[in-house]
Amino acid sequence: MFTGIVQALGTITSISFNGKGAEISIESKDLDFSDVAIGDSVACNGVCLTVVKLGKNSFVADVSHETIECTIFKYLNPGATLNLEKALTPTTHMGGHIVQGHVDGVGTISSMSRTDNAVDIWINAPEDISRYIAIKGSITINGISLTVNEVKGDAFRLTLIPHTHDITNATMWNVGDKVNIEVDVLARYLERLLNHGHDNKKKSTMTASFLMENGFM
């Protein structure tokens, strides 16, 4: 589990594809590795990866074929910069929102506009996940916890404050770039409650009105 608060930037030093997926090596001089061990999870551009080898300022992770196909890892090469976040602990400040590190789909940046104190970004989402994106809801883009400010069809607008923009790989984003999207996990559970019973055979008696009355929506 993660919070979507990026802790450091990392660089892909090597990536070797094989029949099962890929082995990826990531280096970061800014990430604190003192409490990282083999078997730990690290979010890399929002993708939960398991550390299988550990160096002084680097680690190696295996990436499954499924993960490669569902994320922007299929577009990345050595030298690419990744947002990194270690798995949360019981004492971690919950500054963002609950992030699983399970990317739902790949979006495309359609426009970017900069003002004095922010950067507005429009992203086109895949049709099959756009229904989970709501105004003022949480969303994770390349591992960054952000708030949706506007929704138009399958597109949504984000506003990055200078701090978030400057300490993440958002500084390198351009129109046309692909980004990892993880929707708020609560949206998926709400859909499940509304559409299915516990045995998957009968319609749930849970209604949108009930959820609203009890503070879930």
Side-chain angles (χ1 to χ4, degrees):
M1 300 289 285
F2 308 92
T3 68
I5 303 299
V6 174
Q7 296 171 327
L9 295 177
T11 302
I12 296 178
T13 55
S14 69
I15 181 167
S16 56
F17 293 92
N18 52 57
K20 296 181 180 180
E23 181 182 84
I24 185 170
S25 298
I26 299 170
E27 181 181 48
S28 176
K29 296 181 180 179
D30 298 318
L31 189 69
D32 179 9
F33 284 91
S34 63
D35 58 350
V36 177
I38 292 175
D40 285 352
S41 297
V42 178
C44 305
N45 261 20
V47 181
C48 178
L49 297 180
T50 300
V51 176
V52 298
K53 297 177 185 178
L54 190 62
K56 182 179 179 181
N57 297 304
S58 64
F59 65 95
V60 175
D62 291 326
V63 187
S64 70
H65 177 75
E66 174 72 14
T67 297
I68 290 172
E69 289 303 308
C70 295
T71 70
I72 65 171
F73 273 100
K74 57 179 169 286
Y75 305 116
L76 300 182
N77 295 300
T81 301
L82 306 177
N83 294 320
L84 303 180
E85 181 190 356
K86 295 181 290 186
L88 63 83
T89 69
T91 59
T92 300
H93 290 290
M94 197 65 184
H97 71 284
I98 296 173
V99 176
Q100 294 184 302
H102 303 160
V103 172
D104 293 294
V106 172
T108 304
I109 297 175
S110 58
S111 72
M112 301 178 67
S113 58
R114 185 184 301 271
T115 62
D116 291 337
N117 58 358
V119 178
D120 272 356
I121 299 175
W122 278 93
I123 296 175
N124 291 326
E127 184 179 356
D128 60 337
I129 66 171
S130 61
R131 66 180 181 273
Y132 301 112
I133 301 172
I135 296 175
K136 301 307 176 185
S138 296
I139 197 165
T140 309
I141 305 297
N142 277 3
I144 308 169
S145 173
L146 296 167
T147 300
V148 177
N149 287 328
E150 189 175 355
V151 177
K152 290 182 179 179
D154 294 331
F156 60 95
R157 178 174 62 84
L158 307 168
T159 300
L160 276 65
I161 62 172
H163 175 77
T164 300
H165 179 267
D166 295 343
I167 68 166
T168 67
N169 64 11
T171 57
M172 306 172 189
W173 294 355
N174 293 293
V175 173
D177 283 355
K178 305 292 186 180
V179 292
N180 290 327
I181 299 175
E182 180 184 334
V183 299
D184 191 345
V185 64
L186 295 178
R188 289 193 175 277
Y189 282 115
L190 284 173
E191 180 184 55
R192 183 71 175 176
L193 285 170
L194 289 170
N195 293 330
H196 298 278
H198 68 280
D199 59 3
N200 293 332
K201 294 181 180 179
K202 64 179 182 179
K203 189 77 171 180
S204 172
T205 56
M206 193 77 64
T207 64
S209 296
F210 174 85
L211 293 173
M212 292 179 67
E213 290 170 2
N214 288 274
F216 290 100
M217 296 178 65

